[in-house]
Amino acid sequence: MDDNDRTVRSDERTPLLEAVPSTVKRTPTPLPKLQIAIALLLQVCEPITSQSIYPYINALISELDITGGDERKVGYYAGLIESLFFATEALTVLQWSRASDYVGRKPILLIGLLGTTISMLSFGLSRTFWALVISRCLTGLLNGNIGVMKSVMGELTDSSNRAEGFSLMPVVWGFGATIGPLIGGSLSRPHERFPKYFSGAFWKEYPYFLPCLVASGYVLCAFVVTLFLFKETMPRRKSETQGREVEGSLKNDSHEDPVPLRDLLIYPIILSVSNYVVLAFLNISVCALLPLFLAMPLEIGGLNMDPPAIGYIIGSYGGGSAIFQAFFFARIVRYFGEKRIFVAAMSTFVPVFLSFPIINYFAQTRGQQSLAVWLSIAILLAMLAFMDMAYGTIFMYITTSSPNKRSLGATNGLSQTTENVLGGFGVYAIFTTLSCFALLLANRLPERVWDEIQGEEAQRSGVDNLGFVSGPKLRYCPPSYMEETSELRVDERTPLLNPPQPTRTPLPKLQIAIILLLQVCEPICSQSIYPYINELVGTLDIIGGDERKVGYFAGLIESLFFVTEAITVFHWSRLSDRIGRKPVLLIGMLGLIISMLCFGLSRTFITLVISRCLCGLLNGNIGVIKSVMGELTDNTNRAEVYAFMPPVWALGSTMG
């Protein structure tokens, strides 16, 4: 083909009009305002019904004589009843969401609203503990709308207006969380508050039925509005629409049916849900810590504020966050993008958690009502309001991660189930995850210790015990290389007879005994102060007569040894690689002797702190002792020696 042909074909394929650049911004699709308004109306139902019992649940438990007169049990039973809603909702929200993928969103929403109405009325009429439990469980079991609502919002929006739609969800939830406790607190015991209108015997027999009636009445109104005005949002199958193309907000997929649950475990969903779970756990931690921090005494890390001030601060956070989300969320997301906003919002947790001790420091040094304290609180609330933007963005990620349009309910149900489980069992879930991760790491270890993996065979092939190729420059040998080498020489290196088991090397008993003697020193020195440190702190008048501070200062002094040791133990161990183990061990022993004598002679808080810090800073023997133990043994006798180290440490802890 000559150049002329190429020129002609190039001209033939050249478009007559230039293509529209892909960078042109898409015009936002107008939101279906009535449908969005109904969806937001429905979302208010859950926080109202779940949180309206908070103001009076303690009084209800006491009046029903559930605790047998023991007021200490009130909090236990109240917390149990409060958490039953979320626990039972976690059991069924995925099933309700998956059902909505098959029968439609509207029927599931109506069932949830009707179930919530009936269960709230039952709760108000309950006069026994088990009646309260059953009613509260029904409220959660029959209400799977929280997952379905996110699916509805995803189907009512597209990529051009999704930010506007999802920005309203946290605002509406905050509104419901505010109205719910207000209903429960202001309408409970109406025969005392409004005797003119509620003086009958019924209201005295059921003093908490009115807030349940009002909450269920709102839900019933939402039921009627949904029944007559709300339109089904789930796209129909192509066979049902006779080949007409169904437009939606999600990517098109050739599979029209909802996918099985196991097919939801794909990378986009797992990544989105995992981020949502982490966000929810951190947010729950902040929400639990903030009122506790504001109420705790100043001396133990709080601000010692009264309930009205705490209410104003938390209310300011809720109101400010709602206004910020409503007016700025969509614009910020469109300008910066979903990922940048989510990462920035998640990064605020670091300064948020660090701000608590900083604010307490300002309160102690400059006064509780100082400008620095209130300015720091304002900055903290601003960071929390910005952090709330993470919810809107992660909801968008979860919505768009669905495999197809008809699996959107199951996707949101899976995310909500995971979040509810973590909300109820957050600490246990974290430690369970860490335990599983530890088990995974343990399974990655080889069957034998590192210096037995290749042994003499690897050395003959030019690879040392730890998998490094010997030569002028030490470099790591990948496992594939080692396997390939092993396959090439397997016939030459295979012995005709099984080699005899290596003879166990005799232990250097004196050296081992000295090392074990040294190991006893650390637990004795670190833990010998435990029995008398509280009394010492009280005797030296460090606490100013406030016995509540004894534990704080005693714990601080006790922990200083391990904190300072953690700072220097690595450097002492590295130093022992250069100058030898013995000099570093001697320095550590001498440092322990001097610091313990100084601690015994200390009569002020500062000298106690300095002595305790020196005890940890000058003692790096814990790492050096393990190195010595490894050098005194080999693979034939190492197990016997390392078996002695935990008992020796326990002996020192007992003696100390």
Side-chain angles (χ1 to χ4, degrees), residues 19 26 122 534 573:
R26 180 181 174 184
S122 300
N534 288 352
S573 299

Side-chain angles (χ1 to χ4, degrees), residues 83-102:
S83 62
L84 282 175
F85 173 86
F86 300 100
T88 52
E89 185 184 53
L91 297 176
T92 59
V93 64
L94 176 59
Q95 284 71 29
W96 285 118
S97 298
R98 292 192 68 193
S100 72
D101 289 335
Y102 290 89

Side-chain angles (χ1 to χ4, degrees), residues 339-420:
K339 181 180 178 180
R340 290 182 179 178
I341 296 302
F342 183 77
V343 172
M346 291 295 290
S347 65
T348 58
F349 280 110
V350 176
V352 162
F353 285 114
L354 291 177
S355 63
F356 291 116
I358 295 175
I359 297 175
N360 175 258
Y361 172 77
F362 286 151
Q364 291 190 16
T365 57
R366 303 187 182 184
Q368 291 179 255
Q369 302 299 325
S370 63
L371 178 62
V373 171
W374 287 106
L375 183 61
S376 300
I377 292 176
I379 295 174
L380 172 62
L381 298 182
M383 290 190 294
L384 291 176
F386 184 80
M387 176 271 297
D388 285 341
M389 296 181 67
Y391 277 101
T393 53
I394 199 60
F395 289 161
M396 296 165 66
Y397 272 106
I398 293 174
T399 300
T400 55
S401 67
S402 177
N404 57 42
K405 300 174 184 178
R406 294 182 62 86
S407 300
L408 184 57
T411 303
N412 283 295
L414 179 64
S415 67
Q416 194 61 40
T417 299
T418 310
E419 190 271 338
N420 283 351

Side-chain angles (χ1 to χ4, degrees), residues 504-508 632-642:
R504 184 174 300 168
T505 306
L507 289 172
L632 290 176
T633 59
D634 57 25
N635 55 11
T636 64
N637 57 15
R638 187 169 293 130
E640 287 83 351
V641 175
Y642 277 91

